[in-house]
Amino acid sequence: MKPNTVLRHALWTIGPAPDRNPPALYTACKDCPEEGPVGTDRAASDMWALEHAGRTGHRRYRECVSVDLYARPADEELR
Ligand SMILES: [Zn+2]
């Protein structure tokens, strides 16, 4: 590091990416290893879980959602 190097503390923030794809999600059964298909339709994901519950009697599920995020300095305008 040279003596004239400037270091500054900067506040950063993170949130949904401005050019993000729709969130991808799927539902996983917590009583067995089965998982529903990955998609962007929450109703379809819920329907998979209801059909699985009707077929197996399993009642515990986990919804897994993937959202693209974007980190930037807090004072930078979103592009
Ligand atoms: Zn199950």
Side-chain angles (χ1 to χ4, degrees):
M1 184 179 314
K2 298 184 292 187
N4 63 350
T5 298
V6 176
L7 299 176
R8 73 177 177 107
H9 176 78
L11 186 62
W12 281 62
T13 186
I14 191 165
D19 58 348
R20 69 187 178 275
N21 294 319
L25 60 98
Y26 68 95
T27 303
C29 181
K30 292 180 68 176
D31 293 326
C32 77
E34 284 197 46
E35 299 173 348
V38 176
T40 57
D41 182 356
R42 169 162 281 139
S45 184
D46 289 349
M47 185 56 68
W48 175 87
L50 293 172
E51 289 172 357
H52 183 79
R55 183 167 41 85
T56 63
H58 297 166
R59 296 183 175 199
R60 300 178 324 124
Y61 295 88
R62 174 179 295 119
E63 182 177 69
C64 303
V65 180
S66 173
V67 178
D68 294 338
L69 299 177
Y70 182 76
R72 61 183 170 81
D75 60 352
E76 180 183 283
E77 295 285 327
L78 271 179
R79 287 179 253 152

